[in-house]
Amino acid sequence: MLRRLLDPSRLSLENFRRELASVDALPQLCLLAVISGALTGLIMIVFRELIGLGALVLMPKGHAEAFEALPMAVRMSMPVIAVVLIGLGLGWQKKSARRLGITHVIERFSFHQGVMARDNWLNQWWVGAVSLLGGLSAGREGPAVHLGAGASGWIGQWLKLPHNSLRVLVGCGVAAGISASFNTPIAGVIFAMEVVMMEYTLTGFMPVMLASATGAVVTQLHFGSAPAFMMPGVIEPGLLDIPWLLLMALAIGVMAGGFIRLARLGERFTHVPWWIRLLIAGVLTGAVACFYPQVQGIGYDSVETILAGQASLDVLLALALGKLILTAVTVACGIPVGIVGPTLVIGAAAGALFGLGASALLPSLAGEPNLYVMMGMAAMMGAVLQAPLAAIMALLELTHSPDIILYGMLSVLSAALTARVAWRTQGFFVMTRQGSTQHPLQQPLMQALSRVGVGAVMDRSVSVTPAVITWERARVILDARPTWLLIHRQNDQRKADSEPGKSPMALLAADMARALEEHDQTGVEHDGSINLLEIPGKRLELAPIDLQATLSEAFARLDDQRVDALYVRHITAPMMHRVSGIITREAIENYYR
């Protein structure tokens, strides 16, 4: 057994790729998950230190969110300068390179099998820093998810791993990014599975958990284990708080639905030049910041002020309504900012306002104010993302109070349902449907086929041959006992791949064996040739597909090319490849059954 495990052939990269194509390659995926989590944690340390370095230069006392301490003219001009820099930096690039953050990660995961774009990843570094330091209403979890997912995906792309494992790696980067941002490893796992991957499977769950935990450990070694928000004391809810919490959840659900609708308005104003939309977001943010600088940045310092009971009524209103509008308008204007952090701040302010109202109306029955603050944060997050489980887990990890879960469940679910029903909207990050009545990851067939690489199902017993060969050559080919013959209809294999009507064909080796047997029975010497395109047998038109592809990609390609089989090719050098196997429509259907 030990000798088998240490066999050099099993330790090769080629064998590693082959094992990852299977649906149950858990040991290999877990190893990659640890690497992914550690890399994401290191990237988050670098990103947060980059923000800190910028704060040392631009902000009073080096505090990244000390906008209140800046002169009015400075804090008003900073958002305008930020959008100008973003416009100059992104304006000359192609439109696809401007897509950043969680939305971009979901798009690459859903429609590109987790293959991440380099230009977008590089842009995320400086756009994220400029947005946060420039005082736009933005969060750092969007850059964290994008940077983590991109770096993790590149591990798989560099190793040329099959796309089914690449998708898991992207999920690992997402979880580790959220975990490193909020110091909430469980919420990171649930966020990745509920918002990005949209599925719960053992193959995905275990690696994502490992990556999230590893990312949290790496960042805690550098920043410490303190949560994102410091709770002033233990929250002790009571059953009499439930009616008030439900009313608060209804109000927050309406706010969340309005936020999503407002953020989506940008899709109706694409005719407005991009630079004008950028200036609108910058000028509007600067105008509000003139009076309420608390709306700038992420706003975590404002949450701590609210939890300490030191926020005035007008500041709470500015955070609940002003920050909601500013964040939504910033997104609608085409500025790729993170929205999870701002939604937590908005929810905290809305919850505090409701808590003050409840205390004023029925002081003897209303619970302590911080209960409403924390419930408001979770309710707004769950309603905006339509990810109730992630919001509840974040609430548990931020408060370290399991007694609060019942009240969190009622608040989050009520708010999420209200947003969905009242505004007829789905989660903020649900992708626009592309040529389908249903999101690809909401189709059970495509979900199942995306978990497996073609390498796990294809028939590897293939011999490549020209169409015309000698009888003696046919006998040599059959001695290798192939199942399929891949027949090139012309000598130049590269042209065969590109010219219509010249693609290879597949023939069962048994058909050639039958023709050879009939030829032997005639007693004719084997000095002639055989045309494999003319002997009796069932031939299949073929189209190429890469060895890294998933079964979902293979299934789609079969439909697009209108063929019944694909030959799987492994690119060994530019313009050069070798055939690794053949996969038929029947093999895919049998696997799914």
Side-chain angles (χ1 to χ4, degrees):
M1 181 65 178
L2 181 61
R3 182 180 300 175
R4 180 173 176 269
L5 290 175
L6 296 178
D7 184 356
S9 63
R10 287 183 55 84
L11 299 177
S12 66
L13 181 58
E14 186 69 28
N15 189 67
F16 189 64
R17 293 179 182 135
R18 182 180 301 181
E19 291 173 342
L20 281 170
S22 174
V23 72
D24 57 353
L26 270 178
Q28 296 85 353
L29 287 173
C30 288
L31 172 63
L32 292 171
V34 173
I35 300 173
S36 167
L39 180 60
T40 301
L42 291 173
I43 286 176
M44 277 310 301
I45 291 173
V46 174
F47 182 73
R48 290 174 64 174
E49 291 295 347
L50 178 64
I51 300 297
L53 182 63
L56 286 174
V57 178
L58 300 174
M59 306 299 288
K61 299 181 180 179
H63 195 291
E65 295 195 71
F67 296 100
E68 297 90 339
L70 290 171
M72 181 184 297
V74 174
R75 65 175 183 251
M76 287 179 60
S77 61
M78 287 181 71
V80 179
I81 296 173
V83 298
V84 169
L85 291 175
I86 292 173
L88 291 175
L90 295 180
W92 61 273
Q93 301 186 46
K94 55 186 179 181
K95 192 174 180 180
S96 60
R98 303 176 191 170
R99 298 184 65 84
L100 310 175
I102 299 174
T103 301
H104 174 70
V105 172
I106 294 176
E107 178 187 7
R108 302 302 299 187
F109 184 91
S110 304
F111 301 105
H112 300 274
Q113 303 297 325
V115 178
M116 302 299 293
R118 182 192 60 183
D119 291 345
N120 303 68
W121 189 81
L122 294 174
N123 284 333
Q124 182 64 88
W125 281 94
W126 68 267
V127 171
V130 169
S131 299
L132 292 170
L133 292 171
L136 295 173
S137 183
R140 69 172 178 234
E141 77 296 323
V145 166
H146 189 177
L147 295 176
S152 300
W154 283 352
I155 296 174
Q157 291 173 234
W158 179 59
L159 295 175
K160 297 182 180 180
L161 302 182
H163 289 169
N164 62 311
S165 59
L166 193 63
R167 291 160 57 87
V168 176
L169 274 174
V170 169
C172 290
V174 171
I178 292 293
S179 174
S181 292
F182 297 105
N183 204 5
T184 53
I186 300 178
V189 173
I190 303 301
F191 182 92
M193 306 296 287
E194 194 172 21
V195 176
V196 178
M197 303 177 77
M198 295 187 184
E199 62 180 13
Y200 290 93
T201 62
L202 182 64
T203 306
F205 205 50
M206 289 183 66
V208 169
M209 287 182 67
L210 265 176
S212 184
T214 305
V217 168
V218 171
T219 52
Q220 285 182 18
L221 288 173
H222 185 78
F223 295 111
S225 58
F229 312 107
M230 297 302 297
M231 296 299 299
V234 178
I235 298 176
E236 296 181 356
L239 294 177
L240 292 177
D241 292 309
I242 292 178
W244 298 104
L245 291 174
L246 292 178
L247 288 175
M248 180 199 71
L250 293 177
I252 287 180
V254 172
M255 293 172 61
F259 174 84
I260 296 173
R261 288 293 182 128
L262 183 58
R264 295 299 182 190
L265 281 180
E267 299 171 0
R268 301 183 182 180
F269 296 99
T270 53
H271 60 280
V272 179
W274 187 54
W275 64 271
I276 292 180
R277 285 182 279 152
L278 292 183
L279 287 177
I280 290 173
V283 170
L284 183 60
T285 302
V288 177
C290 175
F291 304 99
Y292 295 101
Q294 293 86 352
V295 300
Q296 294 183 279
I298 308 175
Y300 289 167
D301 58 336
S302 298
V303 174
E304 293 185 355
T305 302
I306 294 171
L307 289 170
Q310 299 173 357
S312 61
L313 183 62
D314 60 327
V315 170
L316 291 176
L317 285 170
L319 288 172
L321 298 178
K323 194 170 182 67
L324 183 148
I325 294 172
L326 284 179
T327 307
V329 168
T330 301
V331 173
C333 289
I335 303 176
V337 296
I339 60 101
V340 177
T343 57
L344 291 175
V345 179
I346 295 165
L353 284 171
F354 202 91
L356 291 175
S359 298
L361 291 174
L362 293 172
S364 60
L365 297 180
E368 55 184 300
N370 283 339
L371 171 65
Y372 295 92
V373 174
M374 298 306 298
M375 292 298 112
M377 293 170 64
M380 179 61 76
M381 176 182 173
V384 169
L385 303 182
Q386 287 294 306
L389 190 54
I392 293 168
M393 287 298 101
L395 176 66
L396 174 63
E397 291 185 288
L398 289 172
T399 61
H400 299 285
S401 176
D403 296 335
I404 209 172
I405 293 301
L406 168 63
Y407 306 89
M409 292 173 65
L410 294 173
S411 301
V412 171
L413 292 175
S414 299
L417 184 60
T418 300
R420 198 176 187 92
V421 173
W423 291 92
R424 296 182 180 179
T425 184
Q426 300 183 45
F428 182 88
F429 294 117
V430 172
M431 300 294 295
T432 303
R433 294 177 177 86
Q434 299 185 3
S436 172
T437 58
Q438 197 175 22
H439 190 284
L441 295 183
Q442 294 172 327
Q443 300 177 26
L445 171 62
M446 301 309 288
Q447 267 197 354
L449 297 183
S450 293
R451 302 184 194 122
V452 185
V454 294
V457 179
M458 69 181 184
D459 193 332
R460 298 176 182 272
S461 181
V462 179
S463 289
V464 180
T465 175
V468 180
I469 58 175
T470 64
W471 290 105
E472 192 61 36
R473 176 60 183 164
R475 189 177 296 278
V476 172
I477 292 175
L478 290 176
D479 287 342
R481 299 185 180 278
T483 303
W484 290 98
L485 302 177
L486 189 146
I487 306 169
H488 284 297
R489 287 187 274 190
Q490 60 184 30
N491 293 330
D492 192 337
Q493 181 176 331
R494 290 175 294 181
K495 290 183 179 180
D497 292 340
S498 59
E499 293 185 11
K502 296 296 184 179
S503 61
M505 297 189 74
L507 175 72
L508 284 171
D511 292 329
M512 187 176 73
R514 190 180 303 111
L516 182 62
E517 182 180 357
E518 292 174 357
H519 182 271
D520 289 343
Q521 291 175 354
T522 62
V524 180
E525 293 294 330
H526 292 184
D527 54 357
S529 61
I530 175 175
N531 190 332
L532 299 179
L533 298 179
E534 296 178 354
I535 64 174
K538 182 179 179 180
R539 297 171 186 83
L540 300 178
E541 293 282 351
L542 296 177
I545 194 166
D546 290 336
L547 182 60
Q548 292 176 274
T550 63
L551 291 187
S552 64
E553 292 177 274
F555 193 81
R557 187 155 182 81
L558 286 170
D559 289 339
D560 291 341
Q561 299 295 318
R562 298 182 180 180
V563 295
D564 290 318
L566 304 169
Y567 67 96
V568 182
R569 60 185 185 183
H570 181 199
I571 298 176
T572 56
M575 303 299 293
M576 296 183 62
H577 66 262
R578 61 180 175 84
V579 176
S580 299
I582 286 179
I583 184 167
T584 63
R585 185 184 299 272
E586 183 182 8
I588 297 176
E589 292 173 348
N590 288 340
Y591 173 84
Y592 180 69
R593 295 192 191 102

